[in-house]
Amino acid sequence: LMKYKYHTYLWGLLFGVVSSACSGNDEPVPITIPSIDDEVCCTQDDEVKIGEILAGYKEVTGLSRQSAGSYTIKVYSRKASLYVGYNDLYFAVEKTESGRHVKDFAISDLSPLMDMGMMQHSTPIANQFAQIESFPIYHTWVAPLMAGEWTLPFSYRIKDESGTLPGGPVTIEAAPEGQAWIKSFKWNGATYYLTLASPQDLKTGVNTLRAYISKKADDATQPYLPASEEFTVDIYPTMPDMGNHTSPNNEPLTLQKDGSYQGQLNLTMTGVWDIHLHVKDAIGNTVAGGEELSELYWTIVI
């Protein structure tokens, strides 16, 4: 009997504790299950990889951090300001609140413009935005012709939202003193521009040399896109401070599938180099420049 009473007592005590807890004034703590954000593209490892791709680049003043709704469009280049001549541009979109990279966006209609009061003009640009691997980063390039203040407006689409951003003003700096990375020539009544790509990456030894040939638009305010004509460009590097001595094993610039021109440049020592250019048409006729010490040349310093 005593054992029965003891068990009854324990059950009653347990029931009282449970009843007291359930009938108290404390509200139950809600359990929040985080929602999946299907706008963003990336795992944490992907975000790290994007950071590695953009490492060493800076947001371009006047282009980057242009807000569009709940998103931020960021534009990166080697420096916060751009140079006369070739500049890489990388576009990415982040959710403004979280900083996570958005996967569904597109950039188009980059339209550089310099307003000189009585005259306006554009400049050579790429004809596409190329995705970097499978990441939500898009690359293009622009080659301003002059130092000063420019605008680089562009259009965007982020999911179902679209618009145009003014893109500027953007400060364009002169190329480093003594260097020249973009040159022009005339042929068949049109103006063409030879843009040396990534001139600051050249080094002693054998380099893969890349360049673009762009044609000035009939409307000078419209971007100058890569020329549809095919050329070959012979190169003759010399060192003007060293008696114009040259280097061996250079190969002409020829047209590639991506629209660039590529060849081989051998730089045997550090210093100032003039890269003399001989532009020929598809059947080998001279278009501009000439052999050896032609007056059409880029100047670089390594």
Side-chain angles (χ1 to χ4, degrees), residues 177-198:
E177 185 175 358
Q179 301 194 55
W181 301 336
I182 185 168
K183 289 296 181 76
S184 65
F185 65 87
K186 292 186 179 296
W187 183 56
N188 288 345
T191 301
Y192 297 79
Y193 294 91
L194 283 157
T195 300
L196 175 60
S198 305

PDB file of all heavy atoms in Angstrom, residues 177-198:
ATOM      1  N   GLU A 177      53.835  59.251 -67.651  1.00  0.00           N
ATOM      2  CA  GLU A 177      54.677  60.137 -68.444  1.00  0.00           C
ATOM      3  C   GLU A 177      55.591  59.349 -69.398  1.00  0.00           C
ATOM      4  O   GLU A 177      56.237  58.384 -69.014  1.00  0.00           O
ATOM      5  CB  GLU A 177      55.541  60.999 -67.525  1.00  0.00           C
ATOM      6  CG  GLU A 177      56.371  62.036 -68.251  1.00  0.00           C
ATOM      7  CD  GLU A 177      57.135  62.953 -67.314  1.00  0.00           C
ATOM      8  OE1 GLU A 177      56.981  62.802 -66.078  1.00  0.00           O
ATOM      9  OE2 GLU A 177      57.891  63.808 -67.814  1.00  0.00           O
ATOM     10  N   GLY A 178      55.587  59.804 -70.642  1.00  0.00           N
ATOM     11  CA  GLY A 178      56.456  59.198 -71.639  1.00  0.00           C
ATOM     12  C   GLY A 178      55.881  57.974 -72.315  1.00  0.00           C
ATOM     13  O   GLY A 178      56.529  57.397 -73.199  1.00  0.00           O
ATOM     14  N   GLN A 179      54.672  57.548 -71.937  1.00  0.00           N
ATOM     15  CA  GLN A 179      54.095  56.347 -72.526  1.00  0.00           C
ATOM     16  C   GLN A 179      52.893  56.706 -73.412  1.00  0.00           C
ATOM     17  O   GLN A 179      52.216  57.702 -73.179  1.00  0.00           O
ATOM     18  CB  GLN A 179      53.666  55.367 -71.436  1.00  0.00           C
ATOM     19  CG  GLN A 179      54.827  54.937 -70.528  1.00  0.00           C
ATOM     20  CD  GLN A 179      54.478  53.734 -69.689  1.00  0.00           C
ATOM     21  OE1 GLN A 179      54.073  52.690 -70.213  1.00  0.00           O
ATOM     22  NE2 GLN A 179      54.660  53.845 -68.379  1.00  0.00           N
ATOM     23  N   ALA A 180      52.638  55.874 -74.397  1.00  0.00           N
ATOM     24  CA  ALA A 180      51.510  56.077 -75.315  1.00  0.00           C
ATOM     25  C   ALA A 180      50.960  54.713 -75.679  1.00  0.00           C
ATOM     26  O   ALA A 180      51.670  53.890 -76.286  1.00  0.00           O
ATOM     27  CB  ALA A 180      51.959  56.834 -76.563  1.00  0.00           C
ATOM     28  N   TRP A 181      49.709  54.461 -75.325  1.00  0.00           N
ATOM     29  CA  TRP A 181      49.117  53.127 -75.446  1.00  0.00           C
ATOM     30  C   TRP A 181      48.024  53.046 -76.499  1.00  0.00           C
ATOM     31  O   TRP A 181      47.457  51.980 -76.717  1.00  0.00           O
ATOM     32  CB  TRP A 181      48.534  52.693 -74.101  1.00  0.00           C
ATOM     33  CG  TRP A 181      49.537  52.654 -72.982  1.00  0.00           C
ATOM     34  CD1 TRP A 181      50.888  52.504 -73.088  1.00  0.00           C
ATOM     35  CD2 TRP A 181      49.253  52.754 -71.587  1.00  0.00           C
ATOM     36  NE1 TRP A 181      51.467  52.507 -71.843  1.00  0.00           N
ATOM     37  CE2 TRP A 181      50.492  52.653 -70.900  1.00  0.00           C
ATOM     38  CE3 TRP A 181      48.084  52.909 -70.836  1.00  0.00           C
ATOM     39  CZ2 TRP A 181      50.588  52.719 -69.505  1.00  0.00           C
ATOM     40  CZ3 TRP A 181      48.167  52.961 -69.448  1.00  0.00           C
ATOM     41  CH2 TRP A 181      49.413  52.865 -68.801  1.00  0.00           C
ATOM     42  N   ILE A 182      47.701  54.149 -77.152  1.00  0.00           N
ATOM     43  CA  ILE A 182      46.673  54.132 -78.191  1.00  0.00           C
ATOM     44  C   ILE A 182      47.091  55.094 -79.295  1.00  0.00           C
ATOM     45  O   ILE A 182      47.521  56.215 -79.029  1.00  0.00           O
ATOM     46  CB  ILE A 182      45.281  54.496 -77.616  1.00  0.00           C
ATOM     47  CG1 ILE A 182      44.196  54.358 -78.678  1.00  0.00           C
ATOM     48  CG2 ILE A 182      45.267  55.859 -76.970  1.00  0.00           C
ATOM     49  CD1 ILE A 182      42.776  54.417 -78.109  1.00  0.00           C
ATOM     50  N   LYS A 183      47.016  54.610 -80.551  1.00  0.00           N
ATOM     51  CA  LYS A 183      47.409  55.417 -81.706  1.00  0.00           C
ATOM     52  C   LYS A 183      46.355  55.273 -82.798  1.00  0.00           C
ATOM     53  O   LYS A 183      45.602  54.298 -82.823  1.00  0.00           O
ATOM     54  CB  LYS A 183      48.773  54.975 -82.232  1.00  0.00           C
ATOM     55  CG  LYS A 183      49.942  55.335 -81.323  1.00  0.00           C
ATOM     56  CD  LYS A 183      50.109  56.844 -81.193  1.00  0.00           C
ATOM     57  CE  LYS A 183      51.273  57.253 -80.316  1.00  0.00           C
ATOM     58  NZ  LYS A 183      52.574  57.092 -80.990  1.00  0.00           N
ATOM     59  N   SER A 184      46.314  56.250 -83.699  1.00  0.00           N
ATOM     60  CA  SER A 184      45.303  56.237 -84.764  1.00  0.00           C
ATOM     61  C   SER A 184      45.966  56.242 -86.133  1.00  0.00           C
ATOM     62  O   SER A 184      47.128  56.633 -86.291  1.00  0.00           O
ATOM     63  CB  SER A 184      44.373  57.442 -84.629  1.00  0.00           C
ATOM     64  OG  SER A 184      45.086  58.646 -84.848  1.00  0.00           O
ATOM     65  N   PHE A 185      45.204  55.790 -87.126  1.00  0.00           N
ATOM     66  CA  PHE A 185      45.625  55.911 -88.515  1.00  0.00           C
ATOM     67  C   PHE A 185      44.380  56.063 -89.376  1.00  0.00           C
ATOM     68  O   PHE A 185      43.266  55.727 -88.958  1.00  0.00           O
ATOM     69  CB  PHE A 185      46.460  54.700 -88.957  1.00  0.00           C
ATOM     70  CG  PHE A 185      45.719  53.387 -88.966  1.00  0.00           C
ATOM     71  CD1 PHE A 185      44.997  52.962 -90.076  1.00  0.00           C
ATOM     72  CD2 PHE A 185      45.750  52.554 -87.845  1.00  0.00           C
ATOM     73  CE1 PHE A 185      44.327  51.749 -90.088  1.00  0.00           C
ATOM     74  CE2 PHE A 185      45.083  51.332 -87.854  1.00  0.00           C
ATOM     75  CZ  PHE A 185      44.369  50.930 -88.964  1.00  0.00           C
ATOM     76  N   LYS A 186      44.550  56.591 -90.570  1.00  0.00           N
ATOM     77  CA  LYS A 186      43.445  56.763 -91.510  1.00  0.00           C
ATOM     78  C   LYS A 186      43.624  55.820 -92.693  1.00  0.00           C
ATOM     79  O   LYS A 186      44.740  55.588 -93.160  1.00  0.00           O
ATOM     80  CB  LYS A 186      43.377  58.217 -91.987  1.00  0.00           C
ATOM     81  CG  LYS A 186      42.960  59.197 -90.896  1.00  0.00           C
ATOM     82  CD  LYS A 186      42.768  60.603 -91.448  1.00  0.00           C
ATOM     83  CE  LYS A 186      42.336  61.586 -90.370  1.00  0.00           C
ATOM     84  NZ  LYS A 186      41.004  61.246 -89.819  1.00  0.00           N
ATOM     85  N   TRP A 187      42.492  55.292 -93.149  1.00  0.00           N
ATOM     86  CA  TRP A 187      42.510  54.368 -94.289  1.00  0.00           C
ATOM     87  C   TRP A 187      41.149  54.388 -94.959  1.00  0.00           C
ATOM     88  O   TRP A 187      40.113  54.300 -94.286  1.00  0.00           O
ATOM     89  CB  TRP A 187      42.855  52.954 -93.806  1.00  0.00           C
ATOM     90  CG  TRP A 187      42.976  51.921 -94.875  1.00  0.00           C
ATOM     91  CD1 TRP A 187      43.801  51.965 -95.965  1.00  0.00           C
ATOM     92  CD2 TRP A 187      42.267  50.677 -94.954  1.00  0.00           C
ATOM     93  NE1 TRP A 187      43.657  50.822 -96.718  1.00  0.00           N
ATOM     94  CE2 TRP A 187      42.732  50.002 -96.112  1.00  0.00           C
ATOM     95  CE3 TRP A 187      41.308  50.055 -94.146  1.00  0.00           C
ATOM     96  CZ2 TRP A 187      42.244  48.762 -96.505  1.00  0.00           C
ATOM     97  CZ3 TRP A 187      40.834  48.816 -94.527  1.00  0.00           C
ATOM     98  CH2 TRP A 187      41.297  48.179 -95.692  1.00  0.00           C
ATOM     99  N   ASN A 188      41.158  54.564 -96.272  1.00  0.00           N
ATOM    100  CA  ASN A 188      39.917  54.600 -97.056  1.00  0.00           C
ATOM    101  C   ASN A 188      38.904  55.599 -96.495  1.00  0.00           C
ATOM    102  O   ASN A 188      37.704  55.327 -96.433  1.00  0.00           O
ATOM    103  CB  ASN A 188      39.287  53.206 -97.117  1.00  0.00           C
ATOM    104  CG  ASN A 188      40.062  52.262 -98.019  1.00  0.00           C
ATOM    105  OD1 ASN A 188      40.907  52.693 -98.815  1.00  0.00           O
ATOM    106  ND2 ASN A 188      39.791  50.965 -97.907  1.00  0.00           N
ATOM    107  N   GLY A 189      39.399  56.740 -96.061  1.00  0.00           N
ATOM    108  CA  GLY A 189      38.529  57.817 -95.593  1.00  0.00           C
ATOM    109  C   GLY A 189      38.001  57.652 -94.184  1.00  0.00           C
ATOM    110  O   GLY A 189      37.213  58.471 -93.718  1.00  0.00           O
ATOM    111  N   ALA A 190      38.402  56.606 -93.466  1.00  0.00           N
ATOM    112  CA  ALA A 190      37.938  56.367 -92.092  1.00  0.00           C
ATOM    113  C   ALA A 190      39.123  56.435 -91.126  1.00  0.00           C
ATOM    114  O   ALA A 190      40.283  56.278 -91.527  1.00  0.00           O
ATOM    115  CB  ALA A 190      37.246  55.013 -91.985  1.00  0.00           C
ATOM    116  N   THR A 191      38.805  56.661 -89.848  1.00  0.00           N
ATOM    117  CA  THR A 191      39.826  56.714 -88.799  1.00  0.00           C
ATOM    118  C   THR A 191      39.759  55.444 -87.968  1.00  0.00           C
ATOM    119  O   THR A 191      38.675  55.019 -87.557  1.00  0.00           O
ATOM    120  CB  THR A 191      39.616  57.935 -87.886  1.00  0.00           C
ATOM    121  OG1 THR A 191      39.683  59.133 -88.678  1.00  0.00           O
ATOM    122  CG2 THR A 191      40.677  57.998 -86.798  1.00  0.00           C
ATOM    123  N   TYR A 192      40.910  54.866 -87.716  1.00  0.00           N
ATOM    124  CA  TYR A 192      41.026  53.636 -86.933  1.00  0.00           C
ATOM    125  C   TYR A 192      41.933  53.894 -85.736  1.00  0.00           C
ATOM    126  O   TYR A 192      42.820  54.761 -85.782  1.00  0.00           O
ATOM    127  CB  TYR A 192      41.603  52.494 -87.776  1.00  0.00           C
ATOM    128  CG  TYR A 192      40.732  52.090 -88.944  1.00  0.00           C
ATOM    129  CD1 TYR A 192      40.712  52.840 -90.120  1.00  0.00           C
ATOM    130  CD2 TYR A 192      39.919  50.961 -88.877  1.00  0.00           C
ATOM    131  CE1 TYR A 192      39.915  52.471 -91.193  1.00  0.00           C
ATOM    132  CE2 TYR A 192      39.113  50.581 -89.944  1.00  0.00           C
ATOM    133  CZ  TYR A 192      39.120  51.346 -91.091  1.00  0.00           C
ATOM    134  OH  TYR A 192      38.315  50.981 -92.150  1.00  0.00           O
ATOM    135  N   TYR A 193      41.725  53.109 -84.689  1.00  0.00           N
ATOM    136  CA  TYR A 193      42.530  53.246 -83.480  1.00  0.00           C
ATOM    137  C   TYR A 193      43.153  51.902 -83.116  1.00  0.00           C
ATOM    138  O   TYR A 193      42.477  50.865 -83.123  1.00  0.00           O
ATOM    139  CB  TYR A 193      41.675  53.754 -82.312  1.00  0.00           C
ATOM    140  CG  TYR A 193      41.181  55.157 -82.527  1.00  0.00           C
ATOM    141  CD1 TYR A 193      39.950  55.389 -83.144  1.00  0.00           C
ATOM    142  CD2 TYR A 193      41.942  56.256 -82.160  1.00  0.00           C
ATOM    143  CE1 TYR A 193      39.499  56.680 -83.376  1.00  0.00           C
ATOM    144  CE2 TYR A 193      41.499  57.549 -82.383  1.00  0.00           C
ATOM    145  CZ  TYR A 193      40.284  57.747 -82.987  1.00  0.00           C
ATOM    146  OH  TYR A 193      39.836  59.031 -83.232  1.00  0.00           O
ATOM    147  N   LEU A 194      44.440  51.929 -82.814  1.00  0.00           N
ATOM    148  CA  LEU A 194      45.190  50.769 -82.356  1.00  0.00           C
ATOM    149  C   LEU A 194      45.367  50.886 -80.844  1.00  0.00           C
ATOM    150  O   LEU A 194      46.082  51.770 -80.360  1.00  0.00           O
ATOM    151  CB  LEU A 194      46.562  50.725 -83.025  1.00  0.00           C
ATOM    152  CG  LEU A 194      46.624  50.236 -84.471  1.00  0.00           C
ATOM    153  CD1 LEU A 194      47.887  50.766 -85.151  1.00  0.00           C
ATOM    154  CD2 LEU A 194      46.625  48.719 -84.504  1.00  0.00           C
ATOM    155  N   THR A 195      44.713  50.010 -80.099  1.00  0.00           N
ATOM    156  CA  THR A 195      44.761  50.051 -78.637  1.00  0.00           C
ATOM    157  C   THR A 195      45.584  48.887 -78.125  1.00  0.00           C
ATOM    158  O   THR A 195      45.246  47.717 -78.366  1.00  0.00           O
ATOM    159  CB  THR A 195      43.343  49.967 -78.041  1.00  0.00           C
ATOM    160  OG1 THR A 195      42.568  51.075 -78.515  1.00  0.00           O
ATOM    161  CG2 THR A 195      43.399  50.009 -76.526  1.00  0.00           C
ATOM    162  N   LEU A 196      46.668  49.189 -77.413  1.00  0.00           N
ATOM    163  CA  LEU A 196      47.505  48.161 -76.792  1.00  0.00           C
ATOM    164  C   LEU A 196      46.826  47.697 -75.509  1.00  0.00           C
ATOM    165  O   LEU A 196      46.552  48.503 -74.616  1.00  0.00           O
ATOM    166  CB  LEU A 196      48.888  48.737 -76.489  1.00  0.00           C
ATOM    167  CG  LEU A 196      49.864  47.847 -75.720  1.00  0.00           C
ATOM    168  CD1 LEU A 196      50.149  46.561 -76.482  1.00  0.00           C
ATOM    169  CD2 LEU A 196      51.158  48.601 -75.434  1.00  0.00           C
ATOM    170  N   ALA A 197      46.549  46.408 -75.402  1.00  0.00           N
ATOM    171  CA  ALA A 197      45.839  45.871 -74.234  1.00  0.00           C
ATOM    172  C   ALA A 197      46.825  45.578 -73.099  1.00  0.00           C
ATOM    173  O   ALA A 197      47.930  45.081 -73.333  1.00  0.00           O
ATOM    174  CB  ALA A 197      45.088  44.595 -74.608  1.00  0.00           C
ATOM    175  N   SER A 198      46.401  45.892 -71.873  1.00  0.00           N
ATOM    176  CA  SER A 198      47.150  45.564 -70.652  1.00  0.00           C
ATOM    177  C   SER A 198      48.623  45.946 -70.742  1.00  0.00           C
ATOM    178  O   SER A 198      49.514  45.128 -70.450  1.00  0.00           O
ATOM    179  CB  SER A 198      47.019  44.069 -70.342  1.00  0.00           C
ATOM    180  OG  SER A 198      45.666  43.687 -70.257  1.00  0.00           O
TER     181      SER A 198
END
